[in-house]
Amino acid sequence: MRDHGGNIDQARADWGGSDWIDLSTGINRQPWPVPALPASVWTDLPTQAAKTALLTQAACAFSSDAPSVALAGAQQAIQLIPQLDAPGRARILGPTYNEHGAALRAQGWQVQEVATLADLIGADLAVVVNPNNPDGRHHSRQSLCDLAAHVGRLVVDESFADPVPELSLAAQAGHLASGGNLLVLRSFGKFWGLAGVRLGFAFGDTESVARLADLAGPWPVSGAALEIGHAALSDRDWHRATVARLAQETAQIDAMAARAGWSLLGGTHLFRSYVTPDAEAARDRLARAQIWSRIFPYSPQWIRLGLPGTAAEWARLARALS
């Protein structure tokens, strides 16, 4: 099923009300503060100079000298990557973000979801989300580098890796396995809390990145997104403070969930997933307090929560769980 968090319209339609707290995604609810933007970002076509400046800053932020392309979110990369090679056998380490499988199937790939890294060996295209959504599983750089030698192309989706740079393979994306069979995806909207900007990046070998850029067209990223992305990625103080805050808040929400009788399945700095006796009942309990959460069609017990953004939101979640 191609279902997603962030479907707050469904919550309103099913439960009524307008004062919802959307915890169904892993988007930071304390976003980077966007300053006033030059009028030109709204009136002029995006320039090559602005694209180059953003990619230079992204290379610094993600510690990569690999070729890269800016896209309309990591989602656009997910949709374009199946077009880089003739359809074949794709394997996805799951369960995970379902758009990878959906995009591959739409382009004629045979898709199999597997449970371990070893099960990916031999695939024409392998997908690993690292750290994983929704259970937070993660894999070392070395284990993924080893895997890349045994698949046709390895796609590593690092959409939730900003607080854990030690996991990132972005630095290896341009030269791994000499043939350049690695693509690393990075999201902007989640950690910086600006999903509406629609900005993401793909790092890889020169040929693959050039083909992605060609498929995306001349203006995949708006002038406003180029400006905001460059400024936000430059703000290392905000990045450090946000990682520290999120680490404290994940412990806080885990304690609240434990008091409610839920056990921790896993998670990242931006979301936590729990095992409950009945996930649908848990979701409905929160929905009565107009708090929207995420449950999954493949598990009757898993529920995922993003982190509240304000003291009032934290208090409301505590009341709903108590």
Side-chain angles (χ1 to χ4, degrees):
M1 292 181 63
R2 205 162 178 164
D3 64 315
H4 302 286
N7 54 339
I8 199 68
D9 288 342
Q10 179 184 333
R12 293 189 180 108
D14 291 346
W15 295 88
S18 58
D19 185 24
W20 282 85
I21 302 171
D22 188 3
L23 303 185
S24 68
T25 75
I27 298 167
N28 185 357
R29 290 182 65 80
Q30 293 190 36
W32 183 77
V34 178
L37 300 178
S40 61
V41 305
W42 305 112
T43 60
D44 299 348
L45 283 172
T47 65
Q48 187 58 52
K51 296 177 190 178
T52 300
L54 173 63
L55 291 177
T56 299
Q57 190 57 55
C60 179
F62 302 137
S63 300
S64 179
D65 60 0
S68 62
V69 59
L71 298 164
Q75 178 64 38
Q76 187 178 26
I78 291 169
Q79 292 175 224
L80 295 178
I81 285 170
Q83 301 177 49
L84 295 179
D85 303 297
R89 297 167 302 155
R91 295 176 187 162
I92 300 172
L93 188 63
T96 194
Y97 181 55
N98 59 45
E99 281 297 319
H100 287 284
L104 286 160
R105 291 185 184 95
Q107 293 297 322
W109 286 77
Q110 300 172 27
V111 179
Q112 179 185 9
E113 187 174 288
V114 300
T116 71
L117 285 183
D119 294 330
L120 296 170
I121 291 173
D124 298 312
L125 187 149
V127 178
V128 179
V129 180
N130 194 47
N132 190 47
N133 172 16
D135 60 11
R137 282 182 301 168
H138 56 271
H139 307 277
S140 70
R141 286 174 171 172
Q142 189 58 56
S143 64
L144 294 175
C145 286
D146 293 343
L147 173 65
H150 300 285
V151 299
R153 185 188 296 276
L154 176 61
V155 177
V156 181
D157 182 346
E158 297 183 350
S159 290
F160 290 98
D162 293 287
V164 283
E166 65 274 11
L167 294 180
S168 178
L169 272 181
Q172 283 78 19
H175 49 78
L176 188 65
S178 69
N181 70 332
L182 173 68
L183 283 171
V184 175
L185 313 186
R186 298 295 295 242
S187 171
F188 174 80
K190 296 176 178 65
F191 178 77
W192 277 270
L194 298 170
V197 169
R198 305 310 307 139
L199 177 62
F201 303 90
F203 293 85
D205 63 281
T206 301
E207 180 182 356
S208 297
V209 166
R211 291 180 64 199
L212 284 174
D214 185 58
L215 288 168
W219 303 291
V221 178
S222 71
L226 295 173
E227 183 83 11
I228 292 168
H230 183 274
L233 291 172
S234 305
D235 194 344
R236 305 308 295 166
D237 289 341
W238 185 90
H239 184 285
R240 283 189 292 270
T242 299
V243 172
R245 172 181 61 81
L246 293 172
Q248 294 178 341
E249 291 181 349
T250 54
Q252 181 179 347
I253 198 170
D254 285 349
M256 292 168 58
R259 289 193 292 271
W262 301 354
S263 60
L264 179 65
L265 173 69
T268 70
H269 283 68
L270 289 167
F271 65 81
R272 312 300 282 172
S273 295
Y274 304 101
V275 178
T276 72
D278 184 331
E280 187 172 349
R283 179 202 62 187
D284 293 354
R285 173 182 175 183
L286 293 172
R288 286 190 286 272
Q290 294 191 36
I291 298 170
W292 196 229
S293 56
R294 174 82 160 97
I295 61 174
F296 302 91
Y298 50 78
S299 172
Q301 295 181 302
W302 290 9
I303 188 168
R304 191 189 69 194
L305 294 177
L307 303 180
T310 66
E313 290 183 358
W314 278 101
R316 195 154 125 198
L317 178 61
R319 289 193 298 271
L321 289 175
S322 64

